[in-house]
Amino acid sequence: MDFRLDALGEEALLDVRRCEDEPSLHAVRVRYLGKKGLLTLAIREMAQQHPEQRARIGKQINDVKHALEAAIMAKRDDIVAQGIARKLAEETIDVTLPGRTERLGAVHPLMHVIEEIEHIFVGMGYTVAEGPEVETDYYNFEALNIPEHHPARAMHDSFYIDETTLLRTQTSPVQIRTMQRCGGAIPIKIICPGKVYRRDDDDPTHSHQFMQVEGLVVDTHLSMAHLKGTLAHFARTMFGSHSRVRLRPSFFPFTEPSVEVDISCAVCGGVGCRVCKQSGWVEVLGAGMVHPDVLARCGYDPTVVRAFAFGVGVERIAMLRYGIEDIRHFYTNDRAFLQQFRMRL
Ligand code: DAH
């Protein structure tokens, strides 16, 4: 019995030592100390021993039992400690690593300029209108006094989809659509920003696709003075109080009289630089009093109603605003260029 008990004790301790997790440790406990455990059976067997030996064997069994329980407890502490150590090692955070920053996009400079233009005109009581980019020949040309074979079509002739449908070459058709929609009602005060398309010119100030903001005001008693005052206010708000506008006589089939409007160069202050081609002025828009035939075609009586209109080149405004010399920068998706305009709206 003595010999068996010693062997059993040693085997039990060995089993404990081999355990690597709590379930296996539990299994060892059951194997030796459970109801039908090997040590439990030994205790039962002891009852059959000779009374003289019982005390000695009893003590021996108790020693083995205590040693086993102590070993199991120590092992459990060990397993728990190891588990914590492993978790700590796995979840270590190196706080000295640089953080992962989100790459934030930014508003394109042209969209930013359009927002600014809208803001200025909305402040003068205008609403923002929209029109289709795929336009009919009628709205893009006919209704604007540009019939077939009119020489004014030549500079616009560009992206036709079929005989009578094209990508609009100007935002002016929105004037016609707006007046038709209003059905003779006044006043009208709208601006319409949007993309326009033309035959390509390979130079730094032209692009086959660019942006315009069209403006139209229809009311009684309007004159060129209102037009000039409006544009001067726009220039001063956009470029600062020192900014000036200059009107030059021009021709557009849908306005009479017509003007080209220059703004004093905001990059050099009018002294002369590359952006203004040393002239001190930059041409940024076309404008005029809406032609009586156009008014009549849209259901307005030209003897009662007056209207002025203008078409602003958004890229020109943006070039002036930020001192950009080449219009193509806006469209090449060059991040180095675009990142300079990380401004908020
Ligand atoms: N649509 C003209 C262009 O693209 C610009 C323009 C001139 C618009 C005179 C107007 C205007 O509204 O009255 O060249």
Side-chain angles (χ1 to χ4, degrees), residues 144 155-156 169-173 175 196 198 210 212-216 251-252 254-255 258-259 285-290 308-312:
L144 290 162
M155 7 184 258
H156 287 219
T169 65
Q170 49 187 349
T171 42
S172 300
Q175 290 184 28
V196 300
R198 288 194 198 166
F210 58 101
Q212 290 186 329
V213 175
E214 192 77 14
L216 173 71
F251 172 78
F252 296 102
F254 43 93
T255 43
S258 303
V259 286
L285 60 106
M289 301 305 293
V290 176
F308 68 76
F310 53 87
V312 185

PDB file of all heavy atoms in Angstrom, residues 144 155-156 169-173 175 196 198 210 212-216 251-252 254-255 258-259 285-290 308-312, ligand 1:
ATOM      1  N   LEU A 144     -31.887  82.129 -79.460  1.00  0.00           N
ATOM      2  CA  LEU A 144     -30.964  83.200 -79.062  1.00  0.00           C
ATOM      3  C   LEU A 144     -30.519  84.018 -80.282  1.00  0.00           C
ATOM      4  O   LEU A 144     -29.430  84.610 -80.289  1.00  0.00           O
ATOM      5  CB  LEU A 144     -29.745  82.587 -78.354  1.00  0.00           C
ATOM      6  CG  LEU A 144     -30.042  82.002 -76.961  1.00  0.00           C
ATOM      7  CD1 LEU A 144     -28.933  81.042 -76.522  1.00  0.00           C
ATOM      8  CD2 LEU A 144     -30.188  83.114 -75.916  1.00  0.00           C
ATOM      9  N   MET A 155     -17.869  79.604 -84.125  1.00  0.00           N
ATOM     10  CA  MET A 155     -16.944  79.470 -82.990  1.00  0.00           C
ATOM     11  C   MET A 155     -17.474  78.504 -81.935  1.00  0.00           C
ATOM     12  O   MET A 155     -16.733  78.048 -81.076  1.00  0.00           O
ATOM     13  CB  MET A 155     -16.627  80.797 -82.313  1.00  0.00           C
ATOM     14  CG  MET A 155     -17.370  81.992 -82.740  1.00  0.00           C
ATOM     15  SD  MET A 155     -16.728  83.424 -81.881  1.00  0.00           S
ATOM     16  CE  MET A 155     -17.940  83.674 -80.626  1.00  0.00           C
ATOM     17  N   HIS A 156     -18.763  78.207 -82.016  1.00  0.00           N
ATOM     18  CA  HIS A 156     -19.352  77.308 -81.023  1.00  0.00           C
ATOM     19  C   HIS A 156     -19.427  75.868 -81.512  1.00  0.00           C
ATOM     20  O   HIS A 156     -19.434  74.953 -80.726  1.00  0.00           O
ATOM     21  CB  HIS A 156     -20.789  77.760 -80.694  1.00  0.00           C
ATOM     22  CG  HIS A 156     -20.838  78.988 -79.857  1.00  0.00           C
ATOM     23  ND1 HIS A 156     -21.741  79.152 -78.847  1.00  0.00           N
ATOM     24  CD2 HIS A 156     -20.100  80.115 -79.885  1.00  0.00           C
ATOM     25  CE1 HIS A 156     -21.567  80.344 -78.293  1.00  0.00           C
ATOM     26  NE2 HIS A 156     -20.571  80.944 -78.907  1.00  0.00           N
ATOM     27  N   THR A 169     -23.214  74.862 -75.804  1.00  0.00           N
ATOM     28  CA  THR A 169     -21.956  75.587 -75.975  1.00  0.00           C
ATOM     29  C   THR A 169     -21.910  76.811 -75.075  1.00  0.00           C
ATOM     30  O   THR A 169     -20.902  77.497 -74.999  1.00  0.00           O
ATOM     31  CB  THR A 169     -21.794  76.048 -77.434  1.00  0.00           C
ATOM     32  OG1 THR A 169     -22.827  76.994 -77.717  1.00  0.00           O
ATOM     33  CG2 THR A 169     -21.897  74.881 -78.388  1.00  0.00           C
ATOM     34  N   GLN A 170     -23.031  77.085 -74.422  1.00  0.00           N
ATOM     35  CA  GLN A 170     -23.126  78.239 -73.516  1.00  0.00           C
ATOM     36  C   GLN A 170     -24.276  77.987 -72.539  1.00  0.00           C
ATOM     37  O   GLN A 170     -25.114  77.114 -72.783  1.00  0.00           O
ATOM     38  CB  GLN A 170     -23.380  79.514 -74.319  1.00  0.00           C
ATOM     39  CG  GLN A 170     -24.515  79.372 -75.320  1.00  0.00           C
ATOM     40  CD  GLN A 170     -24.663  80.578 -76.251  1.00  0.00           C
ATOM     41  OE1 GLN A 170     -24.047  81.611 -76.029  1.00  0.00           O
ATOM     42  NE2 GLN A 170     -25.476  80.450 -77.283  1.00  0.00           N
ATOM     43  N   THR A 171     -24.300  78.725 -71.450  1.00  0.00           N
ATOM     44  CA  THR A 171     -25.415  78.550 -70.505  1.00  0.00           C
ATOM     45  C   THR A 171     -26.586  79.466 -70.873  1.00  0.00           C
ATOM     46  O   THR A 171     -27.633  79.416 -70.229  1.00  0.00           O
ATOM     47  CB  THR A 171     -24.955  78.844 -69.057  1.00  0.00           C
ATOM     48  OG1 THR A 171     -24.125  79.995 -69.047  1.00  0.00           O
ATOM     49  CG2 THR A 171     -24.219  77.660 -68.465  1.00  0.00           C
ATOM     50  N   SER A 172     -26.442  80.273 -71.937  1.00  0.00           N
ATOM     51  CA  SER A 172     -27.506  81.204 -72.324  1.00  0.00           C
ATOM     52  C   SER A 172     -28.859  80.534 -72.614  1.00  0.00           C
ATOM     53  O   SER A 172     -29.895  81.176 -72.402  1.00  0.00           O
ATOM     54  CB  SER A 172     -27.049  82.041 -73.513  1.00  0.00           C
ATOM     55  OG  SER A 172     -25.890  82.765 -73.155  1.00  0.00           O
ATOM     56  N   PRO A 173     -28.910  79.282 -73.119  1.00  0.00           N
ATOM     57  CA  PRO A 173     -30.233  78.670 -73.317  1.00  0.00           C
ATOM     58  C   PRO A 173     -31.094  78.642 -72.044  1.00  0.00           C
ATOM     59  O   PRO A 173     -32.318  78.601 -72.137  1.00  0.00           O
ATOM     60  CB  PRO A 173     -29.930  77.243 -73.800  1.00  0.00           C
ATOM     61  CG  PRO A 173     -28.461  77.057 -73.713  1.00  0.00           C
ATOM     62  CD  PRO A 173     -27.852  78.411 -73.678  1.00  0.00           C
ATOM     63  N   GLN A 175     -31.572  81.067 -70.166  1.00  0.00           N
ATOM     64  CA  GLN A 175     -32.379  82.301 -70.211  1.00  0.00           C
ATOM     65  C   GLN A 175     -33.729  82.006 -70.848  1.00  0.00           C
ATOM     66  O   GLN A 175     -34.781  82.389 -70.328  1.00  0.00           O
ATOM     67  CB  GLN A 175     -31.696  83.353 -71.082  1.00  0.00           C
ATOM     68  CG  GLN A 175     -30.430  83.953 -70.527  1.00  0.00           C
ATOM     69  CD  GLN A 175     -29.921  85.064 -71.467  1.00  0.00           C
ATOM     70  OE1 GLN A 175     -30.691  85.703 -72.172  1.00  0.00           O
ATOM     71  NE2 GLN A 175     -28.611  85.280 -71.469  1.00  0.00           N
ATOM     72  N   VAL A 196     -20.150  73.925 -69.989  1.00  0.00           N
ATOM     73  CA  VAL A 196     -20.412  74.131 -71.415  1.00  0.00           C
ATOM     74  C   VAL A 196     -19.259  73.511 -72.222  1.00  0.00           C
ATOM     75  O   VAL A 196     -18.186  73.258 -71.683  1.00  0.00           O
ATOM     76  CB  VAL A 196     -20.565  75.633 -71.755  1.00  0.00           C
ATOM     77  CG1 VAL A 196     -21.727  76.236 -70.986  1.00  0.00           C
ATOM     78  CG2 VAL A 196     -19.291  76.394 -71.462  1.00  0.00           C
ATOM     79  N   ARG A 198     -17.111  73.272 -76.079  1.00  0.00           N
ATOM     80  CA  ARG A 198     -16.815  73.881 -77.384  1.00  0.00           C
ATOM     81  C   ARG A 198     -15.665  73.176 -78.072  1.00  0.00           C
ATOM     82  O   ARG A 198     -14.924  72.434 -77.438  1.00  0.00           O
ATOM     83  CB  ARG A 198     -16.443  75.352 -77.223  1.00  0.00           C
ATOM     84  CG  ARG A 198     -17.647  76.161 -76.881  1.00  0.00           C
ATOM     85  CD  ARG A 198     -17.409  77.619 -77.052  1.00  0.00           C
ATOM     86  NE  ARG A 198     -18.451  78.295 -76.293  1.00  0.00           N
ATOM     87  CZ  ARG A 198     -18.440  79.571 -75.984  1.00  0.00           C
ATOM     88  NH1 ARG A 198     -17.432  80.319 -76.374  1.00  0.00           N
ATOM     89  NH2 ARG A 198     -19.426  80.097 -75.306  1.00  0.00           N
ATOM     90  N   PHE A 210     -15.675  73.881 -70.199  1.00  0.00           N
ATOM     91  CA  PHE A 210     -15.407  74.849 -69.132  1.00  0.00           C
ATOM     92  C   PHE A 210     -16.708  75.219 -68.441  1.00  0.00           C
ATOM     93  O   PHE A 210     -17.745  74.604 -68.713  1.00  0.00           O
ATOM     94  CB  PHE A 210     -14.654  76.072 -69.700  1.00  0.00           C
ATOM     95  CG  PHE A 210     -15.351  76.800 -70.814  1.00  0.00           C
ATOM     96  CD1 PHE A 210     -16.049  77.974 -70.582  1.00  0.00           C
ATOM     97  CD2 PHE A 210     -15.307  76.314 -72.118  1.00  0.00           C
ATOM     98  CE1 PHE A 210     -16.688  78.663 -71.609  1.00  0.00           C
ATOM     99  CE2 PHE A 210     -15.935  76.990 -73.160  1.00  0.00           C
ATOM    100  CZ  PHE A 210     -16.638  78.158 -72.902  1.00  0.00           C
ATOM    101  N   GLN A 212     -19.537  78.139 -66.926  1.00  0.00           N
ATOM    102  CA  GLN A 212     -20.058  79.511 -66.971  1.00  0.00           C
ATOM    103  C   GLN A 212     -21.097  79.692 -65.879  1.00  0.00           C
ATOM    104  O   GLN A 212     -21.675  78.725 -65.400  1.00  0.00           O
ATOM    105  CB  GLN A 212     -20.761  79.767 -68.310  1.00  0.00           C
ATOM    106  CG  GLN A 212     -19.839  79.828 -69.502  1.00  0.00           C
ATOM    107  CD  GLN A 212     -20.580  80.235 -70.782  1.00  0.00           C
ATOM    108  OE1 GLN A 212     -21.767  79.943 -70.950  1.00  0.00           O
ATOM    109  NE2 GLN A 212     -19.872  80.898 -71.679  1.00  0.00           N
ATOM    110  N   VAL A 213     -21.305  80.946 -65.522  1.00  0.00           N
ATOM    111  CA  VAL A 213     -22.484  81.266 -64.712  1.00  0.00           C
ATOM    112  C   VAL A 213     -23.281  82.280 -65.518  1.00  0.00           C
ATOM    113  O   VAL A 213     -22.797  83.375 -65.827  1.00  0.00           O
ATOM    114  CB  VAL A 213     -22.115  81.860 -63.341  1.00  0.00           C
ATOM    115  CG1 VAL A 213     -23.388  82.293 -62.604  1.00  0.00           C
ATOM    116  CG2 VAL A 213     -21.374  80.835 -62.496  1.00  0.00           C
ATOM    117  N   GLU A 214     -24.472  81.881 -65.911  1.00  0.00           N
ATOM    118  CA  GLU A 214     -25.348  82.770 -66.666  1.00  0.00           C
ATOM    119  C   GLU A 214     -26.169  83.596 -65.689  1.00  0.00           C
ATOM    120  O   GLU A 214     -26.522  83.099 -64.608  1.00  0.00           O
ATOM    121  CB  GLU A 214     -26.287  81.906 -67.523  1.00  0.00           C
ATOM    122  CG  GLU A 214     -27.051  82.665 -68.574  1.00  0.00           C
ATOM    123  CD  GLU A 214     -26.177  82.999 -69.779  1.00  0.00           C
ATOM    124  OE1 GLU A 214     -25.083  82.420 -69.900  1.00  0.00           O
ATOM    125  OE2 GLU A 214     -26.596  83.837 -70.595  1.00  0.00           O
ATOM    126  N   GLY A 215     -26.464  84.827 -66.067  1.00  0.00           N
ATOM    127  CA  GLY A 215     -27.347  85.650 -65.235  1.00  0.00           C
ATOM    128  C   GLY A 215     -28.438  86.255 -66.087  1.00  0.00           C
ATOM    129  O   GLY A 215     -28.203  86.586 -67.261  1.00  0.00           O
ATOM    130  N   LEU A 216     -29.632  86.374 -65.545  1.00  0.00           N
ATOM    131  CA  LEU A 216     -30.733  87.013 -66.283  1.00  0.00           C
ATOM    132  C   LEU A 216     -31.625  87.772 -65.306  1.00  0.00           C
ATOM    133  O   LEU A 216     -32.030  87.240 -64.273  1.00  0.00           O
ATOM    134  CB  LEU A 216     -31.578  85.946 -67.000  1.00  0.00           C
ATOM    135  CG  LEU A 216     -32.868  86.456 -67.664  1.00  0.00           C
ATOM    136  CD1 LEU A 216     -32.553  87.294 -68.905  1.00  0.00           C
ATOM    137  CD2 LEU A 216     -33.795  85.301 -68.040  1.00  0.00           C
ATOM    138  N   PHE A 251     -20.387  92.320 -79.598  1.00  0.00           N
ATOM    139  CA  PHE A 251     -21.584  91.822 -80.275  1.00  0.00           C
ATOM    140  C   PHE A 251     -21.935  90.421 -79.797  1.00  0.00           C
ATOM    141  O   PHE A 251     -21.092  89.516 -79.773  1.00  0.00           O
ATOM    142  CB  PHE A 251     -21.371  91.779 -81.793  1.00  0.00           C
ATOM    143  CG  PHE A 251     -22.515  91.101 -82.489  1.00  0.00           C
ATOM    144  CD1 PHE A 251     -23.722  91.777 -82.696  1.00  0.00           C
ATOM    145  CD2 PHE A 251     -22.417  89.771 -82.905  1.00  0.00           C
ATOM    146  CE1 PHE A 251     -24.797  91.139 -83.309  1.00  0.00           C
ATOM    147  CE2 PHE A 251     -23.491  89.136 -83.516  1.00  0.00           C
ATOM    148  CZ  PHE A 251     -24.684  89.822 -83.716  1.00  0.00           C
ATOM    149  N   PHE A 252     -23.170  90.266 -79.384  1.00  0.00           N
ATOM    150  CA  PHE A 252     -23.758  88.945 -79.191  1.00  0.00           C
ATOM    151  C   PHE A 252     -25.132  88.988 -79.852  1.00  0.00           C
ATOM    152  O   PHE A 252     -25.839  89.999 -79.705  1.00  0.00           O
ATOM    153  CB  PHE A 252     -23.912  88.601 -77.699  1.00  0.00           C
ATOM    154  CG  PHE A 252     -22.594  88.509 -76.975  1.00  0.00           C
ATOM    155  CD1 PHE A 252     -22.160  89.552 -76.170  1.00  0.00           C
ATOM    156  CD2 PHE A 252     -21.777  87.387 -77.108  1.00  0.00           C
ATOM    157  CE1 PHE A 252     -20.940  89.492 -75.516  1.00  0.00           C
ATOM    158  CE2 PHE A 252     -20.554  87.318 -76.460  1.00  0.00           C
ATOM    159  CZ  PHE A 252     -20.138  88.372 -75.658  1.00  0.00           C
ATOM    160  N   PHE A 254     -27.907  87.785 -79.186  1.00  0.00           N
ATOM    161  CA  PHE A 254     -29.094  87.803 -78.318  1.00  0.00           C
ATOM    162  C   PHE A 254     -29.153  89.003 -77.379  1.00  0.00           C
ATOM    163  O   PHE A 254     -30.035  89.074 -76.532  1.00  0.00           O
ATOM    164  CB  PHE A 254     -29.186  86.495 -77.522  1.00  0.00           C
ATOM    165  CG  PHE A 254     -27.871  86.031 -76.960  1.00  0.00           C
ATOM    166  CD1 PHE A 254     -27.492  86.381 -75.677  1.00  0.00           C
ATOM    167  CD2 PHE A 254     -27.009  85.260 -77.728  1.00  0.00           C
ATOM    168  CE1 PHE A 254     -26.282  85.968 -75.162  1.00  0.00           C
ATOM    169  CE2 PHE A 254     -25.785  84.842 -77.220  1.00  0.00           C
ATOM    170  CZ  PHE A 254     -25.419  85.195 -75.941  1.00  0.00           C
ATOM    171  N   THR A 255     -28.192  89.915 -77.490  1.00  0.00           N
ATOM    172  CA  THR A 255     -28.247  91.145 -76.679  1.00  0.00           C
ATOM    173  C   THR A 255     -28.014  92.359 -77.574  1.00  0.00           C
ATOM    174  O   THR A 255     -27.291  92.294 -78.560  1.00  0.00           O
ATOM    175  CB  THR A 255     -27.178  91.143 -75.570  1.00  0.00           C
ATOM    176  OG1 THR A 255     -25.950  90.669 -76.107  1.00  0.00           O
ATOM    177  CG2 THR A 255     -27.586  90.285 -74.390  1.00  0.00           C
ATOM    178  N   SER A 258     -24.485  95.070 -76.709  1.00  0.00           N
ATOM    179  CA  SER A 258     -23.711  93.997 -76.066  1.00  0.00           C
ATOM    180  C   SER A 258     -22.370  94.551 -75.603  1.00  0.00           C
ATOM    181  O   SER A 258     -21.828  95.475 -76.218  1.00  0.00           O
ATOM    182  CB  SER A 258     -23.433  92.869 -77.060  1.00  0.00           C
ATOM    183  OG  SER A 258     -24.638  92.372 -77.598  1.00  0.00           O
ATOM    184  N   VAL A 259     -21.846  93.955 -74.556  1.00  0.00           N
ATOM    185  CA  VAL A 259     -20.528  94.381 -74.047  1.00  0.00           C
ATOM    186  C   VAL A 259     -19.697  93.176 -73.626  1.00  0.00           C
ATOM    187  O   VAL A 259     -20.237  92.118 -73.288  1.00  0.00           O
ATOM    188  CB  VAL A 259     -20.654  95.305 -72.801  1.00  0.00           C
ATOM    189  CG1 VAL A 259     -21.131  96.686 -73.201  1.00  0.00           C
ATOM    190  CG2 VAL A 259     -21.545  94.688 -71.742  1.00  0.00           C
ATOM    191  N   LEU A 285     -16.356  88.221 -68.717  1.00  0.00           N
ATOM    192  CA  LEU A 285     -17.740  87.913 -69.075  1.00  0.00           C
ATOM    193  C   LEU A 285     -18.248  88.711 -70.257  1.00  0.00           C
ATOM    194  O   LEU A 285     -17.696  89.746 -70.625  1.00  0.00           O
ATOM    195  CB  LEU A 285     -18.673  88.099 -67.876  1.00  0.00           C
ATOM    196  CG  LEU A 285     -18.795  89.455 -67.189  1.00  0.00           C
ATOM    197  CD1 LEU A 285     -20.127  90.101 -67.548  1.00  0.00           C
ATOM    198  CD2 LEU A 285     -18.697  89.276 -65.699  1.00  0.00           C
ATOM    199  N   GLY A 286     -19.330  88.163 -70.838  1.00  0.00           N
ATOM    200  CA  GLY A 286     -20.067  88.862 -71.879  1.00  0.00           C
ATOM    201  C   GLY A 286     -21.409  89.245 -71.292  1.00  0.00           C
ATOM    202  O   GLY A 286     -21.928  88.560 -70.413  1.00  0.00           O
ATOM    203  N   ALA A 287     -21.976  90.365 -71.785  1.00  0.00           N
ATOM    204  CA  ALA A 287     -23.248  90.816 -71.203  1.00  0.00           C
ATOM    205  C   ALA A 287     -23.965  91.748 -72.173  1.00  0.00           C
ATOM    206  O   ALA A 287     -23.445  92.083 -73.246  1.00  0.00           O
ATOM    207  CB  ALA A 287     -22.981  91.529 -69.885  1.00  0.00           C
ATOM    208  N   GLY A 288     -25.164  92.147 -71.791  1.00  0.00           N
ATOM    209  CA  GLY A 288     -25.896  93.112 -72.612  1.00  0.00           C
ATOM    210  C   GLY A 288     -27.359  93.175 -72.215  1.00  0.00           C
ATOM    211  O   GLY A 288     -27.800  92.490 -71.293  1.00  0.00           O
ATOM    212  N   MET A 289     -28.098  94.042 -72.944  1.00  0.00           N
ATOM    213  CA  MET A 289     -29.542  94.126 -72.744  1.00  0.00           C
ATOM    214  C   MET A 289     -30.176  93.086 -73.660  1.00  0.00           C
ATOM    215  O   MET A 289     -29.870  93.042 -74.860  1.00  0.00           O
ATOM    216  CB  MET A 289     -30.057  95.522 -73.109  1.00  0.00           C
ATOM    217  CG  MET A 289     -29.428  96.659 -72.308  1.00  0.00           C
ATOM    218  SD  MET A 289     -29.561  96.485 -70.505  1.00  0.00           S
ATOM    219  CE  MET A 289     -31.321  96.652 -70.235  1.00  0.00           C
ATOM    220  N   VAL A 290     -31.041  92.278 -73.106  1.00  0.00           N
ATOM    221  CA  VAL A 290     -31.610  91.168 -73.880  1.00  0.00           C
ATOM    222  C   VAL A 290     -32.356  91.718 -75.112  1.00  0.00           C
ATOM    223  O   VAL A 290     -33.131  92.677 -75.016  1.00  0.00           O
ATOM    224  CB  VAL A 290     -32.559  90.313 -73.004  1.00  0.00           C
ATOM    225  CG1 VAL A 290     -33.228  89.222 -73.839  1.00  0.00           C
ATOM    226  CG2 VAL A 290     -31.777  89.697 -71.850  1.00  0.00           C
ATOM    227  N   PHE A 308     -31.629  92.429 -68.675  1.00  0.00           N
ATOM    228  CA  PHE A 308     -30.190  92.330 -68.968  1.00  0.00           C
ATOM    229  C   PHE A 308     -29.713  90.920 -68.627  1.00  0.00           C
ATOM    230  O   PHE A 308     -30.352  90.194 -67.844  1.00  0.00           O
ATOM    231  CB  PHE A 308     -29.363  93.424 -68.278  1.00  0.00           C
ATOM    232  CG  PHE A 308     -29.271  93.359 -66.769  1.00  0.00           C
ATOM    233  CD1 PHE A 308     -28.448  92.427 -66.127  1.00  0.00           C
ATOM    234  CD2 PHE A 308     -29.967  94.281 -65.988  1.00  0.00           C
ATOM    235  CE1 PHE A 308     -28.340  92.411 -64.745  1.00  0.00           C
ATOM    236  CE2 PHE A 308     -29.870  94.266 -64.603  1.00  0.00           C
ATOM    237  CZ  PHE A 308     -29.051  93.319 -63.974  1.00  0.00           C
ATOM    238  N   ALA A 309     -28.610  90.556 -69.281  1.00  0.00           N
ATOM    239  CA  ALA A 309     -28.094  89.198 -69.090  1.00  0.00           C
ATOM    240  C   ALA A 309     -26.577  89.247 -69.105  1.00  0.00           C
ATOM    241  O   ALA A 309     -25.970  90.196 -69.613  1.00  0.00           O
ATOM    242  CB  ALA A 309     -28.596  88.278 -70.192  1.00  0.00           C
ATOM    243  N   PHE A 310     -25.988  88.242 -68.521  1.00  0.00           N
ATOM    244  CA  PHE A 310     -24.515  88.160 -68.542  1.00  0.00           C
ATOM    245  C   PHE A 310     -24.099  86.696 -68.444  1.00  0.00           C
ATOM    246  O   PHE A 310     -24.857  85.846 -67.972  1.00  0.00           O
ATOM    247  CB  PHE A 310     -23.888  88.979 -67.408  1.00  0.00           C
ATOM    248  CG  PHE A 310     -24.444  88.654 -66.038  1.00  0.00           C
ATOM    249  CD1 PHE A 310     -23.906  87.635 -65.276  1.00  0.00           C
ATOM    250  CD2 PHE A 310     -25.515  89.384 -65.525  1.00  0.00           C
ATOM    251  CE1 PHE A 310     -24.415  87.344 -64.015  1.00  0.00           C
ATOM    252  CE2 PHE A 310     -26.028  89.100 -64.257  1.00  0.00           C
ATOM    253  CZ  PHE A 310     -25.487  88.076 -63.508  1.00  0.00           C
ATOM    254  N   GLY A 311     -22.913  86.411 -68.944  1.00  0.00           N
ATOM    255  CA  GLY A 311     -22.369  85.058 -68.861  1.00  0.00           C
ATOM    256  C   GLY A 311     -20.935  85.136 -68.367  1.00  0.00           C
ATOM    257  O   GLY A 311     -20.051  85.669 -69.054  1.00  0.00           O
ATOM    258  N   VAL A 312     -20.692  84.628 -67.155  1.00  0.00           N
ATOM    259  CA  VAL A 312     -19.373  84.736 -66.521  1.00  0.00           C
ATOM    260  C   VAL A 312     -18.558  83.468 -66.788  1.00  0.00           C
ATOM    261  O   VAL A 312     -19.081  82.363 -66.666  1.00  0.00           O
ATOM    262  CB  VAL A 312     -19.518  84.891 -64.983  1.00  0.00           C
ATOM    263  CG1 VAL A 312     -18.168  85.135 -64.321  1.00  0.00           C
ATOM    264  CG2 VAL A 312     -20.498  85.988 -64.635  1.00  0.00           C
TER     265      VAL A 312
HETATM  266  N1  DAH B   1     -23.072  83.100 -73.975  1.00  0.00           N
HETATM  267  C1  DAH B   1     -21.973  83.976 -74.257  1.00  0.00           C
HETATM  268  C2  DAH B   1     -20.733  83.162 -74.544  1.00  0.00           C
HETATM  269  O1  DAH B   1     -20.678  82.028 -74.170  1.00  0.00           O
HETATM  270  C3  DAH B   1     -21.704  84.901 -73.093  1.00  0.00           C
HETATM  271  C4  DAH B   1     -22.815  85.869 -72.898  1.00  0.00           C
HETATM  272  C5  DAH B   1     -22.775  87.089 -73.547  1.00  0.00           C
HETATM  273  C6  DAH B   1     -23.886  85.577 -72.085  1.00  0.00           C
HETATM  274  C7  DAH B   1     -23.777  88.012 -73.391  1.00  0.00           C
HETATM  275  C8  DAH B   1     -24.888  86.486 -71.907  1.00  0.00           C
HETATM  276  C9  DAH B   1     -24.819  87.717 -72.555  1.00  0.00           C
HETATM  277  O2  DAH B   1     -25.939  86.269 -71.134  1.00  0.00           O
HETATM  278  O3  DAH B   1     -25.828  88.605 -72.376  1.00  0.00           O
HETATM  279  O4  DAH B   1     -19.818  83.649 -75.121  1.00  0.00           O
END
